[in-house]
Amino acid sequence: AVLVAIKITALTAFIILTIPVLKSSNFNPLIPTGTAGVFGAAASIFFAYVGFDAVSTAAEETKNPQRNVPIGLIASLGVCTIFYLLVATGAIGAIGAQPVMSGGIPLSPGSPELAGRCASIVASGALEPLVCSKEALVHVLTSIGWPAIGRLVGLAAVLALPSVVLMMMFGQTRVFFTMARDGLLPAKLASVHPKFRTPHVVTVVTGIGAALASAVLPVGKLADY
């Protein structure tokens, strides 16, 4: 709850500072890469909604789950969608987020061509395009004259990242627990702690697996997984 509060505070501050300075011209053209860009974005933003299903995995540990689980799912979806829309609006409206083009064709994210083009734009003294930045929200706030707040938003992002990891691991342990109880995994994984009434064995096993993965895999691969 503390980590999520930090995250919401940072995003709210970003919205408050960027919405008043947005320019409608930054939204023209509204769909600069056409339908291909829309479908590409839809395929990516789908993953922003992965994790809400973790709410349902906690049904057995929820007070009055028939009432509270639907409220948790729908309310969290609603709140997050509103934040997504407002943050995107603030970022694009404040400094623009049009694609970097080459010969009228938008360069692919993560490609060497885009990296080279971004480097040349920055070297020329022009403002770094939003699509080139590796810390987009910090870049936006710095560009509109709030560098200190930008650094705090970046810090909040780092501090709040464990909330995502913890929630996903919580959901995964409950999935493994149910599978073990149904005989699809070793029965030992369905053990419940005599005092705390939580699936402690599967939590330890999942934690060790996550720790090993984070120790030996590149960050980019972990993000993809």
Side-chain angles (χ1 to χ4, degrees):
V2 171
L3 293 172
V4 171
I6 292 172
K7 190 158 33 178
I8 289 177
T9 301
L11 292 176
T12 301
F14 178 85
I15 293 166
I16 290 172
L17 294 174
T18 55
I19 294 295
V21 299
L22 66 81
K23 301 174 183 175
S24 59
S25 59
N26 287 332
F27 295 93
N28 184 31
L30 184 62
I31 308 177
T33 56
T35 55
V38 173
F39 285 115
S44 298
I45 204 168
F46 161 81
F47 292 101
Y49 288 91
V50 172
F52 291 99
D53 54 317
V55 176
S56 62
T57 66
E60 290 188 31
E61 299 165 80
T62 304
K63 294 178 181 178
N64 192 4
Q66 286 184 305
R67 172 184 177 273
N68 290 330
V69 170
I71 290 175
L73 280 166
I74 296 170
S76 58
L77 276 167
V79 170
C80 288
T81 299
I82 291 170
F83 267 106
Y84 290 154
L85 290 170
L86 290 176
V87 168
T89 300
I92 297 170
I95 68 171
Q98 303 303 335
V100 174
M101 314 286 278
S102 177
I105 300 173
L107 297 174
S108 301
S111 65
E113 293 81 9
L114 177 63
R117 183 77 177 114
C118 289
S120 64
I121 292 173
V122 174
S124 69
L127 177 66
E128 181 182 27
L130 187 60
V131 294
C132 295
S133 176
K134 294 181 179 179
E135 41 185 22
L137 302 192
V138 178
H139 176 52
V140 171
L141 290 175
T142 302
S143 300
I144 63 173
W146 296 96
I149 303 297
R151 287 192 291 270
L152 289 175
V153 168
L155 177 62
V158 174
L159 293 175
L161 188 60
S163 69
V164 179
V165 178
L166 289 170
M167 192 62 230
M168 296 303 292
M169 287 182 63
F170 174 89
Q172 187 61 66
T173 57
R174 272 55 183 177
V175 171
F176 284 156
F177 171 76
T178 303
M179 292 173 67
R181 195 170 54 184
D182 290 346
L184 300 173
L185 289 174
K188 183 64 177 176
L189 295 178
S191 301
V192 175
H193 195 280
K195 178 181 179 182
F196 300 111
R197 309 304 301 165
T198 54
H200 61 301
V201 175
V202 73
T203 299
V204 171
V205 171
T206 305
I208 291 173
L212 290 174
S214 64
V216 301
L217 292 172
V219 173
K221 291 294 183 184
L222 283 173
D224 290 339
Y225 295 154

